[in-house]
Amino acid sequence: MPKHETPLLDELESGPWPSFVSDIKAEAASRAKNEKNVEFQIPVDVCDDLLGVLELSYKHGRTHWKHGGIVGVFGYGGGVIGRYCDQPGMFPGVAHFHTVRVNQPGGKFYNTAYLKQLCDLWEFRGSGLTNMHGSTGDIILIGTQTPQLEEIFYDLTHNMNQDLGGSGSNLRTPADCIGSARCEYACYDTQSMCYALTQEYQDELHRPAFPYKFKFKFDGCPNCCVASIARSDMSFIGLWRDEIRIDQAAVAAYVGGEIQPNGGAHAGRDWGKFDIQKEVIGLCPTECMRYEGGKLEIDNKECTHCMHCINVMPRALRIGNDRGCAILVGAKAPILDGAQMGSLLVPFISVEDPYDEVKEVIEKVWDYWMEEGKNRERLGELIKRQGFQKLLEATDIEASPLHVSEPRSNPYIFWKEEEVEGGWERDVKAYRKDHLR
Amino acid sequence: MATDEQKKLIVEALEKKTGKSKFYLKDFYTMIPDLKPRAIKNIVNEMVADGILEYWSSGSTTLIGLKGVGKQAGAEHED
Ligand code: SF4
Ligand code: SF4
């Protein structure tokens, strides 16, 4: 018999998809049984009360969580998000229900011992409910009470070698793709750079520094597995400057059907014989490929590194050898004011430990945004408000055609008077000699 | 390291404010003349560690105020 009747929530379980309601109910049942004899440090029925308050919110069409709060661990201005219920009498289990953000490991590599340790900690000191992972990338531990926070922080940092992530107006937990640990498309070591910058910017990560949130994401190639181009204020996307390496014998093997295209993905259905013309050449967005007389050619200077041909024929085509990354800025995916993709700021930068060149760009961008950004204004909104040119000036980067995404649709870059011969002034008399009124 | 004089300037500026008890970091930039935003950030964070100021967070944004002033009501515009 559940503690609270939840007819509205129950409906969410009736659809074809797995439901978070079923998950919370499962955790509620597991806590009630307590087969492992855990000495729960917060109310055993926290999950029941969570379902109860959610049901009430559905009934009222309003949230019953208060807005924000003053919680945190000593010395940190982020990582814990205070949540208080406005009906603590009805739902004492969730009177406080704070969220803890934990900095996920690089590439989200775990071993099972670590995951067990994390879950044990969270059953002991929290609700047992987690979100793996939040949209920023963190491990999210959902629901605990104020007296547990320092204890959790101690355990994470001392026994699990693990830190809190960012929240509020901080640098948010940097996130990366698995990169060269497993992926042959990686043009730089995403985990190394993500780790180095996380260490370098500890202060920005843990103590509020900015007008609003700021996210870094690291993708080893333009496939963008962590969607950096869409979801981070500063996105680092690996790419090469030279040529796609072609193995003509492997190309022939794809054409002859000896190697499955797309690494064997989409193989559950018969799509017919592989057609290199239709499936690769014809889909190259810049039409820079040619397959003639059994030979594949690429006009590399026209290639936009879209990755399509490499994804389809990974054994025949490889990323180039002269590798680095591009830096894009200003993406965001907020609820208000609409989503925005990143704009190219640095077309190519070398990425070598200790990443000094990259840090120089980052710090110039921050100085500009901290000075000029309004409260709660993301970098992308500031760029839109002031124009891309202002950012180029602040970062000492010269405008180039690469900064223009398409002719006539990019309002970012303007000439300044001192850059134009003769300035804005003209000799009207001289002009009138050739041009009648 | 923040000087006592700098800390005093911030506390005085905050005490003068009426109506609100929590502020964006940006609002602190003008409280001490001639300092870069990053230097102000460091002073503010130091004052939190000292227990003079405290953070308030909605999860997405962080506000800062004098410790113990305003409390939760301030965040909900009820004081
Ligand atoms: S973004 Fe590229 S390098 Fe990184 S995991 Fe995905 S495909 Fe591999
Ligand atoms: S990566 Fe994309 S743009 Fe470049 S050659 Fe291949 S399909 Fe064409």
Side-chain angles (χ1 to χ4, degrees):
Chain A
M1 181 65 198
K3 183 173 172 191
H4 306 284
E5 291 298 327
T6 55
L8 295 172
L9 291 183
D10 296 348
E11 277 183 40
L12 294 176
E13 293 181 287
S14 62
W17 310 106
S19 166
F20 71 96
V21 175
S22 313
D23 288 348
I24 301 175
K25 285 182 180 173
E27 185 61 20
S30 148
R31 285 175 82 89
K33 255 199 196 154
N34 194 13
E35 279 176 346
K36 285 187 276 176
N37 288 318
V38 180
E39 284 178 48
F40 296 122
Q41 298 296 300
I42 71 166
V44 58
D45 54 0
V46 49
C47 296
D48 303 274
D49 281 352
L50 178 63
L51 290 165
V53 71
L54 202 55
E55 178 75 18
L56 188 66
S57 295
Y58 274 55
K59 206 170 124 195
H60 288 164
R62 292 187 302 272
T63 182
H64 282 282
W65 300 114
K66 296 186 194 179
H67 184 56
I70 307 166
V71 284
V73 295
F74 186 73
Y76 277 36
V80 178
I81 296 139
R83 286 286 176 259
Y84 297 87
C85 176
D86 70 6
Q87 287 293 354
M90 280 161 87
F91 308 106
V94 292
H96 326 183
F97 196 71
H98 311 318
T99 298
V100 181
R101 289 199 186 149
V102 181
N103 193 329
Q104 80 286 1
K108 303 196 178 82
F109 276 100
Y110 296 103
N111 61 31
T112 47
Y114 172 84
L115 287 172
K116 280 195 182 119
Q117 201 182 358
L118 189 74
C119 292
D120 286 348
L121 169 68
W122 198 239
E123 290 210 300
F124 177 47
R125 296 203 178 275
S127 69
L129 301 171
T130 68
N131 170 8
M132 305 286 272
H133 300 78
S135 51
T136 299
D138 307 88
I139 303 165
I140 313 259
L141 304 177
I142 306 168
T144 191
Q145 303 203 333
T146 310
Q148 299 305 316
L149 294 171
E150 290 291 348
E151 308 279 351
I152 292 163
F153 182 55
Y154 185 93
D155 255 0
L156 285 170
T157 48
H158 290 71
N159 303 327
M160 299 178 68
N161 196 18
Q162 189 71 62
D163 199 1
L164 295 187
S167 67
S169 309
N170 295 25
L171 173 63
R172 298 303 183 80
T173 315
D176 58 353
C177 76
I178 53 174
S180 28
R182 284 187 64 111
C183 182
E184 63 203 54
Y185 301 156
C187 298
Y188 71 98
D189 186 344
T190 49
Q191 293 189 52
S192 164
M193 178 140 96
C194 185
Y195 182 77
L197 296 184
T198 302
Q199 293 295 346
E200 174 82 15
Y201 297 121
Q202 280 287 297
D203 199 46
E204 283 76 6
L205 219 165
H206 296 309
R207 281 162 283 275
F210 301 132
Y212 202 19
K213 60 180 88 163
F214 194 94
K215 300 183 184 185
F216 282 154
K217 289 191 197 295
F218 306 90
D219 275 311
C221 80
N223 276 335
C224 265
C225 291
V226 289
S228 66
I229 195 170
R231 303 198 323 190
S232 57
D233 300 87
M234 224 166 165
S235 137
F236 302 85
I237 303 177
L239 82 177
W240 60 93
R241 255 193 311 199
D242 53 349
E243 295 172 354
I244 294 178
R245 289 170 292 159
I246 306 176
D247 177 343
Q248 298 288 355
V251 174
Y254 277 105
V255 173
E258 291 128 57
I259 308 177
Q260 283 194 316
N262 298 296
H266 321 296
R269 204 177 123 182
D270 185 8
W271 296 91
K273 192 173 165 336
F274 174 62
D275 180 345
I276 189 170
Q277 199 60 44
K278 188 166 146 235
E279 293 173 46
V280 181
I281 316 290
L283 293 177
C284 168
T286 58
E287 298 174 10
C288 70
M289 308 182 82
R290 200 160 66 157
Y291 184 67
E292 265 175 31
K295 192 162 174 249
L296 180 68
E297 281 174 75
I298 299 175
D299 183 0
N300 279 280
K301 69 179 193 313
E302 296 298 331
C303 163
T304 50
H305 311 91
C306 82
M307 295 299 289
H308 174 70
C309 59
I310 300 181
N311 290 335
V312 177
M313 306 194 297
R315 280 171 65 182
L317 301 176
R318 286 164 196 236
I319 58 170
N321 284 323
D322 182 9
R323 300 171 200 157
C325 82
I327 304 179
L328 288 87
V329 290
K332 63 195 179 86
I335 300 164
L336 297 175
D337 199 36
Q340 191 171 309
M341 297 286 265
S343 301
L344 182 73
L345 176 66
V346 180
F348 187 90
I349 193 166
S350 86
V351 269
E352 300 295 331
D353 197 19
Y355 308 106
D356 288 335
E357 272 185 70
V358 172
K359 287 177 199 164
E360 206 181 301
V361 179
I362 292 172
E363 285 163 29
K364 282 182 185 162
V365 169
W366 280 349
D367 283 343
Y368 164 64
W369 180 50
M370 286 171 77
E371 191 87 51
E372 297 290 331
K374 294 184 187 170
N375 293 327
R376 294 175 66 90
E377 184 174 51
R378 293 283 289 270
L379 176 63
E381 291 157 345
L382 172 63
I383 296 171
K384 243 169 117 182
R385 178 162 65 83
Q386 293 200 335
F388 197 73
Q389 194 169 19
K390 283 276 178 336
L391 178 69
L392 290 176
E393 281 164 20
T395 47
D396 299 314
I397 294 171
E398 233 183 278
S400 90
L402 291 167
H403 290 126
V404 180
S405 56
E406 308 143 41
R408 291 169 190 260
S409 71
N410 187 326
Y412 281 155
I413 297 156
F414 301 96
W415 294 102
K416 277 192 279 180
E417 186 165 9
E418 61 268 25
E419 290 165 342
V420 178
E421 208 185 319
W424 296 155
E425 297 302 319
R426 61 179 180 176
D427 181 345
V428 177
K429 276 201 183 125
Y431 178 80
R432 283 289 161 232
K433 266 194 221 151
D434 298 328
H435 303 268
L436 302 181
R437 262 189 100 85
Chain B
M1 275 296 284
T3 63
D4 288 345
E5 182 58 27
Q6 289 170 330
K7 293 183 186 176
K8 214 175 111 214
L9 280 171
I10 288 185
V11 172
E12 280 171 2
L14 288 174
E15 282 170 345
K16 261 192 241 142
K17 304 242 177 194
T18 49
K20 275 203 296 181
S21 62
K22 293 176 181 60
F23 304 89
Y24 290 102
L25 181 62
K26 205 160 172 85
D27 302 331
F28 290 76
Y29 288 179
T30 48
M31 292 181 190
I32 307 176
D34 305 326
L35 272 193
K36 283 229 153 220
R38 277 205 186 195
I40 304 266
K41 172 209 85 175
N42 289 338
I43 295 171
V44 166
N45 286 325
E46 201 182 312
M47 289 173 74
V48 173
D50 291 346
I52 306 169
L53 304 179
E54 72 187 350
Y55 302 124
W56 179 94
S57 171
S58 67
S60 66
T61 335
T62 309
L63 302 182
I64 301 150
L66 284 169
K67 189 165 181 154
V69 176
K71 290 277 177 198
Q72 185 66 19
E76 288 166 14
H77 311 293
E78 285 172 21
D79 62 2

